[in-house]
């Protein structure tokens, strides 16, 4: 075992089996959101989920509203939207771009490259569960509405006329069911009615005195060009009420509970979506799926269902613990604490809660029993036509959703994403061939559950031919953090290889002999064409493309070498890397965003794509000093012109400054996120609500405390002065290491490393570094005698 005497003065090897796992710890009761009044708006309600089902709990007194979602309930159908004229006109467009005739190239691209149709349809709400109680909100005492993050249970408690009332709701991944339990401290005082509602496309009726069925089919007559209108996906929901005492009755669409002290409502939902075909499947019966789910819980009591849920949920959530210090505001409701931060007060405990909330949201919008990845709103959406359709945006947003997955010890959340892209590559191969005459697979900047891979929305938004290539790096990252060779061989590498094959065919030679992408763009940003003064987006060889190719090819080469395969492909990629244009610094000392040093239309644009190589890429580091300094200048310019004004963009800033090892600026942008882009229920807002900012911020907080890339684990790389004392347990590092860190007075005191796979562990703390040679199943404790 090798180690630096400067860095490690005490080292203890501990048997893995003798260690206490953080998942076995008691639930931390401080990790909760709570409020002293019911939610009036959707962005005040509290989310629960299990990866497939989602719900927003409002916590009303007289009327409880629980808005419902099922992950696959989308309008639309599978279509081939590739423009049939694309391949015939591609070379013309490319030559115009290489000749500097960008305006003419854009005109042809609008005509011949835009998808047919150029739109997708939306993720939709399932509907609402309404509970109407027969008492007023007068004389209510001790009202409390909360979401316990470690248990995944939302609860409402209050007292009226000496009677204590409690409602709790959760969504079990074990039993695939939503459970709502309602209790009173005295007998025969619960009297309420139960309804399911959906504004359109559904029929709701009772089945006996204790069950409700919702059945429906989306009938989309949207006039916007989104593909075939008409009857689309079928869906169903089943609700069952069990009363401990009291009476149940029904009147056709409503169930009534009377004279009870306890009642439990179970609900589930399903569609006829089939991920294997990326379409609805009429051989799938949603009603039958709902019935089968209920069959499996018929023999279980509410206590058993609840305990199984808590055990499963907490075993994932409790892997990571973060303490950034105590707070004087900890006794206040969450919305009041948020307002105090907006007003300039400090609340390190709320930052810890916000970090854990991001983990909570990811694990409850992307894991089994779900089959789809987290979309722009996770799995929580109240609308029939959601903002940006709640789609899968692949020019930053879907990637950002999964930034915390590995480092925050939620590796299983990447599996629905992986499986989805395993299916997406099939229509992606068709698009590569039909639009670009290329092998491999690709996609542009938007997709949906039906596998849309054409250019969506407009040429100015959707011409991102390397969006799929960018996505595959999430899968490489999963291998880096888990060391799962089967996953690399059967999932990650095939997806990466297909993306590389597309790129190799797509690249063309420019006038300087470089291999470049064309047509392409720097996502959503515009430059001023110096030839005619017009605004344009279309170009060739935007800086982000070059950085993505460098990142992907190097990852694919490593993968192929690990798997001992594809030597010819490796050679081809190595030769291609030598012919890519360099990332260059412009006349204003910033990293050039385009192949030419164009003037920006919007210097404070929300996207900062030319800094991909800094984060989430790994090419711009202190070991590339010119680009490292230029990255600082790039951010400075963006911010001076109003950049970072959306929630997700601000979250990206936290990650950028963490990679720049600038702790105070990372903390500043975290504070600005709270002040400008966090809603009362701690959802991130673009505006409106987008969940990527939550995930980006959680990633950023983790990056401030631990970074692992380029085969080095950096401890406390961006610890701000505001976090003088604290600890974090259970973060994951590249190489499948679990890291616990403690610090005091701003200085590292202890590091514990659990090696799950063995191998070299290269540690860095400030100017000190060491290499440990670890064995799988052992822990290594670094003592507090550090200089």
């Amino acid at each position: 075992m090798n180690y630096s005497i400067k860095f490690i003065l005490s080292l203890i090897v501990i048997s893995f089996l003798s260690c206490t796992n953080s998942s076995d710890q008691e639930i931390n009761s401080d990790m909760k959101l709570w409020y002293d009044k019911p939610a009036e708006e959707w962005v005040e309600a509290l989310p629960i989920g299990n990866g497939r089902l989602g719900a927003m709990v409002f916590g009303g007194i007289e009327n409880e509203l629980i808005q419902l979602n099922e992950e696959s309930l989308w309008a639309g159908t599978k279509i081939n939207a590739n423009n049939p004229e694309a391949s015939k006109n591609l070379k013309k467009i490319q030559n115009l771009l290489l000749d500097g005739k960008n305006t003419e190239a854009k005109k042809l691209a609008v005509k011949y490259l835009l998808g047919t149709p150029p739109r997708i349809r939306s993720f939709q709400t399932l509907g609402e569960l309404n509970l109407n109680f027969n008492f007023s909100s007068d004389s209510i005492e001790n009202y409390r509405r909360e979401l316990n993050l470690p248990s995944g249970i939302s609860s409402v408690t209050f007292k009226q006329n000496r009677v204590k009332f409690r409602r709790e709701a959760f969504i079990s991944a074990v039993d695939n069911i939503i459970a709502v339990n309602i209790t009173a401290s005295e007998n025969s005082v619960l009297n309420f009615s139960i309804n399911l509602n959906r504004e359109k496309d559904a029929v709701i009726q009772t089945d006996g005195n204790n069950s409700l069925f919702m059945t429906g089919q989306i009938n989309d007559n949207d006039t916007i060009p989104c593909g075939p209108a008409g009857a689309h996906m079928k869906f169903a929901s089943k609700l069952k009420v069990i009363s401990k005492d009291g009476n149940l009755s029904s009147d056709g669409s409503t169930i009534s509970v009377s004279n009870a002290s306890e009642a439990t409502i179970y609900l589930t939902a399903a569609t006829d979506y089939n991920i294997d075909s990326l379409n609805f499947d009429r051989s799938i019966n949603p009603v039958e799926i709902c019935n089968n789910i209920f069959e499996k819980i018929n023999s279980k009591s509410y206590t058993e269902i609840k305990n199984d849920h808590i055990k499963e949920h907490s075993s994932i959530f409790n892997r990571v613990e973060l303490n950034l210090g105590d707070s004087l505001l900890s006794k206040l409701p969450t919305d009041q604490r948020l307002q105090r931060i907006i007003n300039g007060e400090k609340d390190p405990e709320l930052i810890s809660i916000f970090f854990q909330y991001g983990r909570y949201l990811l694990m409850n919008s992307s894991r089994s029993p779900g089959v789809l990845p987290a979309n722009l709103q996770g799995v929580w959406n109240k609308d029939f036509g959601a903002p940006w359709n709640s789609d899968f945006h692949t020019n930053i947003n879907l990637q950002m959703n999964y930034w915390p997955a590995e480092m925050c010890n939620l590796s299983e959340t990447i599996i629905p994403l992986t499986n989805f892209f395993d299916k997406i590559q099939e229509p992606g191969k068709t698009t590569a061939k039909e639009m670009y005459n290329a092998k491999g697979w690709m996609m542009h900047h938007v997709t949906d559950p039906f596998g849309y891979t054409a250019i969506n929305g407009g040429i100015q938004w959707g011409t991102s031919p390397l969006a799929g290539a960018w996505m595959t790096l999430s899968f490489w990252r999963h291998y880096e953090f888990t060391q799962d060779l089967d996953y690399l061989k059967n999932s990650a590498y095939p997806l990466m290889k297909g993306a590389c094959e597309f790129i190799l065919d797509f690249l063309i030679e420019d006038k300087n002999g470089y291999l470049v992408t064309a047509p392409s763009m720097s996502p959503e940003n515009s430059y001023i064409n110096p030839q005619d003064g017009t605004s344009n987006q279309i170009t060739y060889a935007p800086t982000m493309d070059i950085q993505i190719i460098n990142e992907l090819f190097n990852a694919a080469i490593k993968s192929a070498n690990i798997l001992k395969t594809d030597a010819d492909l490796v050679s081809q990629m190595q030769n291609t890397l030598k012919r890519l244009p360099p990332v260059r610094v412009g006349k204003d000392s910033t990293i050039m965003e385009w192949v030419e040093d164009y003037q920006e239309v919007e210097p404070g644009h929300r996207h900062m794509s030319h800094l991909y190589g800094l984060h989430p890429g790994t090419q711009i580091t202190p070991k590339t000093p010119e680009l490292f300094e230029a990255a600082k200048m790039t951010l400075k310019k963006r911010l001076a012109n109003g950049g970072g004004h959306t929630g997700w963009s601000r979250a990206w800033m936290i990650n950028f400054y963490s990679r720049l090892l600038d702790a105070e600026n990372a903390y500043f942008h975290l504070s600005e996120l709270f002040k400008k882009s966090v809603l009362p229920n701690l959802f991130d807002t673009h505006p409106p609500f987008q969940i990527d900012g939550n995930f980006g911020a959680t990633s950023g907080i983790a990056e401030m405390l631990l970074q692992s890339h380029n085969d080095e684990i950096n401890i406390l790389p961006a610890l701000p002065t505001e976090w003088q004392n604290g600890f974090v347990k259970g973060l994951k590092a590249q190489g499948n290491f679990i890291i616990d860190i403690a610090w005091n007075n701003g200085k590292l005191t202890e590091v514990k490393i659990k090696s799950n796979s063995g191998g070299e562990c290269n540690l860095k703390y400030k100017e000190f570094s060491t290499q440990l040679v670890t064995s799988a199943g052992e822990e290594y404790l670094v003592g507090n005698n550090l200089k």
Side-chain angles (χ1 to χ4, degrees):
M1 183 177 299
N2 300 315
Y3 56 89
S4 165
I5 199 69
K6 284 186 177 180
F7 185 45
I8 300 181
L9 298 183
S10 64
L11 182 65
I12 305 171
V13 181
I14 309 170
S15 168
F16 173 75
L17 296 175
S18 70
C19 298
T20 300
N21 191 305
S22 62
S23 65
D24 297 327
Q25 296 174 358
E26 293 183 5
I27 290 175
N28 184 347
S29 60
D30 292 330
M31 286 293 110
K32 59 182 63 173
L33 286 65
W34 79 272
Y35 304 82
D36 59 6
K37 57 184 179 296
E40 295 182 1
E41 300 179 8
W42 190 84
V43 293
E44 297 172 350
L46 295 173
I48 53 176
N50 72 346
R52 188 180 76 87
L53 300 169
M56 297 290 288
V57 184
F58 280 66
I61 297 171
E62 297 174 351
N63 303 290
E64 172 64 285
L65 169 61
I66 301 178
Q67 184 267 318
L68 306 168
N69 287 106
E70 199 278 350
E71 63 166 350
S72 64
L73 186 55
W74 284 65
T77 185
K78 187 175 183 178
I79 54 174
N80 182 333
N82 301 319
N83 193 312
E85 301 298 316
S87 63
K88 291 182 288 187
N89 291 278
L90 176 64
K91 188 59 66 175
K92 296 178 188 176
I93 295 168
Q94 290 175 328
N95 288 336
L96 286 170
L97 290 170
L98 294 180
D99 290 340
K101 299 176 181 178
N102 296 8
T103 301
E104 294 176 46
K106 181 178 179 180
K107 290 177 181 178
L108 288 184
V110 170
K111 187 174 182 179
Y112 297 123
L113 296 186
L114 188 61
T116 55
R119 294 282 192 276
I120 62 169
R121 288 182 164 87
S122 181
F123 178 45
Q124 292 193 357
T125 179
L126 174 66
E128 297 174 347
L129 169 61
N130 291 280
L131 311 179
N132 300 299
F133 296 89
N134 71 343
F135 52 75
S136 72
S137 57
D138 296 338
S139 305
I140 295 296
E141 300 177 86
N142 302 328
Y143 177 91
R144 183 181 176 98
R145 173 173 63 98
E146 75 171 40
L147 175 62
N148 186 300
L149 299 179
S151 71
I153 294 177
S154 171
S155 63
V156 176
T157 56
F158 56 87
K159 183 178 179 181
Q160 185 181 49
N161 299 327
R162 302 190 308 277
V163 181
K164 296 178 181 178
F165 295 92
R166 177 177 176 84
R167 297 196 298 269
E168 58 184 29
F170 60 87
I171 306 182
S172 168
V174 178
D175 292 306
N176 218 347
I177 202 90
I178 301 174
V180 182
N181 179 253
I182 307 159
T183 59
S185 62
E186 294 185 9
N187 294 330
S188 305
V189 296
L190 284 178
N191 298 279
F192 62 97
S193 63
I194 304 167
N195 299 92
L196 279 176
N197 296 300
R198 194 175 198 269
E199 288 183 13
K200 60 182 182 179
D201 300 335
V203 175
I204 297 152
Q205 57 189 11
T206 56
D207 181 16
N209 287 332
N210 71 339
S211 296
L212 282 172
F213 264 108
M214 174 197 292
T215 55
Q217 183 172 12
I218 294 175
N219 189 10
D220 194 337
N221 295 313
D222 196 341
T223 57
I224 296 175
C226 302
H232 292 161
M233 192 173 291
K234 291 183 178 181
F235 59 92
S237 180
K238 180 178 180 179
L239 176 152
K240 185 176 182 180
V241 186
I242 297 175
S243 179
K244 180 180 178 181
D245 45 22
N247 302 307
L248 299 176
S249 60
S250 65
D251 68 357
S253 61
T254 301
I255 295 175
S256 296
V257 179
S258 58
N259 302 319
S261 63
E262 181 177 353
T264 303
I265 302 165
Y266 297 109
L267 183 147
T268 196
T271 73
D272 62 354
Y273 177 71
N274 184 344
I275 192 170
D276 289 330
S277 63
L278 294 175
N279 207 357
F280 44 77
D281 183 342
R282 297 306 185 222
S283 70
I284 296 173
N285 186 336
V287 173
E288 186 176 301
I289 294 173
C290 292
N291 284 331
N292 289 340
I293 290 170
F294 271 93
E295 281 290 324
K296 293 177 182 178
I297 68 164
N298 279 342
S299 62
K300 296 181 72 170
S301 68
Y302 172 72
T303 299
E304 290 173 323
I305 291 172
K306 178 181 175 181
N307 288 343
D308 286 348
H309 160 73
I310 292 175
K311 182 179 179 181
E312 188 272 344
H313 177 98
S314 62
S315 70
I316 301 172
F317 183 89
N318 285 350
R319 292 172 188 164
V320 175
E321 185 178 355
L322 175 63
N323 186 311
L324 297 175
D326 297 329
S327 172
L328 298 175
L329 308 178
S330 60
K331 302 302 181 184
L332 294 177
T334 301
D335 53 341
Q336 294 183 30
R337 296 175 75 171
L338 176 60
Q339 189 58 51
R340 295 288 188 95
I341 289 182
I342 292 171
N343 293 340
E345 296 187 46
K346 309 297 183 184
D347 193 344
E349 188 180 69
L350 189 60
I351 293 175
S352 296
I353 292 171
F354 189 65
F355 166 83
Q356 293 283 31
Y357 190 47
R359 294 182 66 248
Y360 169 91
L361 293 172
L362 181 55
M363 64 180 277
N364 287 312
S365 60
S366 181
R367 66 183 170 109
S368 179
V371 298
L372 291 173
N375 62 45
L376 277 176
Q377 294 182 298
V379 73
W380 298 278
N381 165 46
K382 64 181 175 60
D383 300 309
F384 288 94
W388 297 281
N389 299 307
S390 240
D391 63 28
F392 304 111
H393 240 68
T394 55
N395 65 358
I396 178 63
N397 314 91
L398 186 58
Q399 289 91 338
M400 185 179 286
N401 281 4
Y402 289 89
W403 286 354
E406 305 301 339
M407 72 176 78
C408 294
N409 214 338
L410 295 172
S411 290
E412 61 268 71
T413 62
I414 211 79
I415 301 306
L417 182 74
T418 308
N419 293 340
F420 180 59
F421 272 83
D422 183 59
K423 309 303 179 185
I424 283 285
Q425 67 177 323
E426 293 308 313
K429 290 176 183 177
T430 303
T431 299
K433 181 179 180 180
E434 293 183 354
M435 288 190 66
Y436 298 101
N437 301 308
K439 293 182 293 186
W441 75 275
M442 62 85 64
M443 65 187 304
H444 296 92
H445 92 299
V446 161
T447 192
D448 62 8
F450 309 111
Y452 190 104
T453 52
I455 295 181
N456 175 273
I459 289 297
Q460 72 274 28
W461 309 112
T463 311
S464 294
L466 299 196
W470 183 0
M471 284 303 311
T472 66
L473 287 158
S474 298
F475 312 131
W476 165 245
R477 189 168 171 82
H478 182 74
Y479 167 74
E480 285 188 299
F481 278 73
T482 64
Q483 299 295 292
D484 186 339
L485 273 172
D486 287 339
Y487 176 89
L488 180 66
K489 179 180 179 180
N490 298 315
S491 297
Y493 181 65
L495 284 162
M496 294 162 63
K497 178 181 176 181
C500 292
E501 288 173 333
F502 167 74
I503 291 170
L504 289 168
D505 272 5
F506 180 55
L507 291 170
I508 59 174
E509 186 174 303
D510 74 355
K511 59 189 175 184
N512 297 312
Y514 291 122
L515 293 177
V516 298
T517 56
S520 190
M521 66 185 301
S522 188
E524 302 186 22
N525 203 2
S526 303
Y527 61 88
I528 296 174
N529 188 341
Q531 289 188 335
D532 54 20
T534 61
S535 171
N536 203 341
Q537 303 81 26
I538 307 304
T539 183
Y540 71 93
T543 296
M544 185 185 213
D545 281 6
I546 306 309
Q547 294 173 340
I548 288 174
I549 296 171
N550 271 289
E551 200 82 21
L552 176 57
F553 278 19
N554 280 300
I557 290 167
K558 289 179 183 177
S559 299
N561 289 337
I562 292 167
L563 298 172
K564 296 180 172 58
T565 189
D566 291 327
D568 289 344
L569 178 63
V570 167
S571 178
Q572 191 177 2
M573 289 189 288
Q574 289 171 332
N575 291 331
T576 299
L577 285 170
K578 297 173 185 176
R579 297 187 59 194
L580 296 177
V583 175
R584 294 185 293 162
V585 177
K587 57 182 178 292
D588 59 358
S589 300
T590 68
I591 291 175
M592 286 171 51
E593 186 162 0
W594 295 279
V595 69
E596 302 291 344
D597 203 2
Y598 294 126
Q599 181 182 346
E600 296 168 287
V601 173
E602 187 183 348
H605 197 269
R606 61 195 174 277
H607 283 262
M608 293 159 284
S609 305
H610 46 320
L611 291 185
Y612 169 86
L614 176 64
H615 183 278
T618 59
Q619 299 155 52
I620 300 175
T621 73
K623 295 179 182 179
T624 58
E626 181 186 12
L627 293 179
F628 198 70
E629 291 303 313
K632 296 178 185 179
M633 293 300 296
T634 304
L635 288 174
K636 183 178 180 180
K637 179 181 177 181
R638 268 290 200 269
L639 291 166
N641 288 278
H645 52 277
T646 69
W648 64 262
S649 183
R650 183 73 67 180
W652 203 357
M653 289 287 181
I654 304 167
N655 289 271
F656 281 141
Y657 278 109
S658 295
R659 289 285 176 93
L660 289 171
L661 311 179
D662 187 340
E664 302 314 316
N665 262 317
Y667 180 81
F668 170 80
H669 287 287
L670 177 60
S671 299
E672 288 296 290
L673 182 79
F674 271 93
K675 292 176 182 179
K676 298 177 180 179
S677 301
V678 176
L679 295 163
N681 65 356
L682 301 191
F683 273 171
D684 167 77
T685 182
H686 181 283
F689 162 55
Q690 272 187 205
I691 207 164
D692 44 16
N694 286 100
F695 298 144
T698 291
S699 165
I701 293 168
E703 288 262 348
M704 294 168 76
L705 303 174
L706 179 73
Q707 294 178 25
S708 63
H709 48 270
N710 297 332
D711 299 316
E712 182 179 77
I713 299 171
N714 196 345
I715 308 295
L716 301 181
L719 184 70
T721 54
E722 289 292 342
W723 300 347
Q724 280 294 294
N725 306 304
F727 63 84
V728 63
K729 298 180 179 180
L731 292 180
K732 185 179 271 192
Q734 184 186 79
N736 201 12
F737 299 103
I738 305 299
I739 310 290
D740 298 350
I741 306 168
W743 65 93
N744 189 45
N745 293 324
K747 296 182 179 180
L748 179 67
T749 58
E750 187 174 273
V751 180
K752 184 169 72 174
I753 301 124
K754 181 168 70 177
S755 177
N756 287 330
S757 301
E760 293 180 357
C761 178
N762 299 306
L763 295 173
K764 182 180 187 300
Y765 171 65
K766 295 186 176 179
E767 68 269 30
F768 305 114
S769 62
T770 189
Q771 181 186 90
L772 306 179
V773 179
T774 70
S775 299
E778 291 188 341
E779 290 193 351
Y780 301 82
L781 181 64
V782 179
N784 61 0
N785 300 316
L786 300 175
K787 296 182 180 180

